[in-house]
Amino acid sequence: MFRRVVRASKFRHVFGQALKNDQCYDDIRVSRVTWDSSFCAVNPKFVAIIIEASGGGAFLVLPLLKTGRIDKAYPTVCGHTGPVLDIDWCPHNDHVIASGSEDCTVMVWQIPENGLVTPLAEPVVVLEGHSKRVGIVTWHPTARNVLMSAGCDNLIIIWNVGTGEAMIQLEDMHPDVIFSACWSRNGALICTACKDKNIRVIDPRKEKIVAEKDKAHDGARPMRAIFLADGNIFTTGFSRMSERQLALWNPKSMEEPISVHELDTSNGVLLPFYDADTNIVYLCGKGDSSIRYFEITDEAPFVHYLNTFSSKEPQRGMGYMPKRGLDVNKCEIARFYKLHERKCEPIIMTVPRKVWKLEELLREVKSLRDLVTLQDRRIAKLEDQMSKVAI
């Protein structure tokens, strides 16, 4: 009887590669705020990084091609009066970015076509409604001008950015600080992780909790929860013994997890980044120097470890490029922007494949044609010489 020893997967040999120094962004003072945010947001045109700023909060917005050393006088987005805690690019407009801050406001900014020339202090709209600092901002994946914010006042607000008004306020659902909030793939539901160790699935239109799991992870340190493409929920957290865990849940039946895995005993919070096209989850731990990646399948144990990208420097934060910003001709399936203490370093994830590119084929055809033409000329020259000898 045939027994498959190695699980078949297209992504078993995915490998990460850091770009060279001249393709990094150097001399950036990355924020030291003690909030478990990624501190970086990326889209196909710009990379935004939360930085240290005196007298308020600021973040850099750099065109992707502006690599190398960044001048200390480079203009910033500096309208907040407190440190910026989270930023997120609009998925429907690459020039619009939202930011949440300790000054209890959410601001939406319009970035010029070629990036900033002067400091930007005037937002397009200021969203005021939180009574404590705003630690999470995330755009709706399918509806334009819809933004969700979550603050340390345990309140989630869904905004209409076009009018600057709050459409929905989800109050009295979280008794403590909200660690993470994530839209489902179609934007119909919201999944949150709270300091009370509960995972909640909320229907924002009905303003009610449709599923809840208490003590999803027993540890006291922050959790993260994200929706997968099939509607399941992937969480990262800590066990009672402070071991880092990851788990998979079915929101229709949350009594027991589909799968639970323990990783190690590090105390860095695991930030999950999910690729819905390949069903791969990348885990980037704060303070770690590695990126682990797992494939989610329908076969037990459901969460399959693929590999680990390791480097020397620990990461302060991480930006994740949307799929439309990748170079698919180079078999690139993911790209991260890793924040060091004074640098931002792009890391590309590649699937090794033998890819015949059209340009290579055309070059080969052209070289063959040139060879044939050369041979024809030689034959013609020999025939001419033979005819002269015959005469």
Side-chain angles (χ1 to χ4, degrees), residues 180 189 191-194 197-201 211-219 223-239 245-261 272 274 281 296-298 301-303:
S180 76
L189 298 172
C191 177
T192 64
C194 182
K197 305 179 185 179
N198 285 20
I199 302 294
R200 294 173 176 85
V201 179
E212 186 172 3
K213 172 61 181 174
D214 61 329
K215 292 191 178 179
H217 296 278
D218 291 325
M223 297 189 300
R224 287 286 185 278
I226 57 171
F227 270 112
L228 303 183
D230 58 3
N232 287 340
I233 295 170
F234 182 89
T235 63
T236 63
F238 292 80
S239 70
Q245 289 181 326
L246 52 92
L248 191 64
W249 307 83
N250 181 351
K252 295 176 182 177
S253 175
M254 297 189 75
E255 289 81 19
E256 292 295 328
I258 299 171
S259 177
V260 178
H261 296 265
Y274 175 60
V281 174
I296 314 294
T297 67
D298 296 329
F302 305 103
V303 180

Side-chain angles (χ1 to χ4, degrees), residues 11-31:
F11 308 105
R12 197 153 43 87
H13 301 293
V14 169
F15 66 95
Q17 185 175 11
L19 297 187
K20 295 178 180 177
N21 282 335
D22 60 347
Q23 294 174 288
C24 298
Y25 309 86
D26 281 316
D27 208 13
I28 296 170
R29 296 162 300 159
V30 178
S31 175

Side-chain angles (χ1 to χ4, degrees), residues 155-225:
L155 173 67
I156 290 178
I157 302 179
I158 298 173
W159 305 91
N160 181 342
V161 174
T163 62
E165 297 174 350
M167 295 188 293
I168 299 169
Q169 294 196 30
L170 303 175
E171 301 178 275
D172 304 324
M173 292 187 179
H174 301 87
D176 215 324
V177 176
I178 301 165
F179 286 141
S180 76
C182 172
W183 293 101
S184 61
R185 191 157 166 76
N186 62 3
L189 298 172
I190 296 169
C191 177
T192 64
C194 182
K195 194 175 181 179
D196 66 353
K197 305 179 185 179
N198 285 20
I199 302 294
R200 294 173 176 85
V201 179
I202 301 169
D203 187 331
R205 293 180 180 86
K206 297 178 181 177
E207 298 187 25
K208 71 173 188 178
I209 298 171
V210 295
E212 186 172 3
K213 172 61 181 174
D214 61 329
K215 292 191 178 179
H217 296 278
D218 291 325
R221 290 191 53 74
M223 297 189 300
R224 287 286 185 278

Side-chain angles (χ1 to χ4, degrees), residues 328-347:
V328 293
N329 287 329
K330 294 180 179 177
C331 300
E332 191 179 347
I333 64 166
R335 190 189 308 162
F336 293 91
Y337 286 74
K338 174 182 174 180
L339 299 185
H340 301 245
E341 193 171 346
R342 303 280 297 185
K343 184 172 80 168
C344 176
E345 178 185 41
I347 297 167

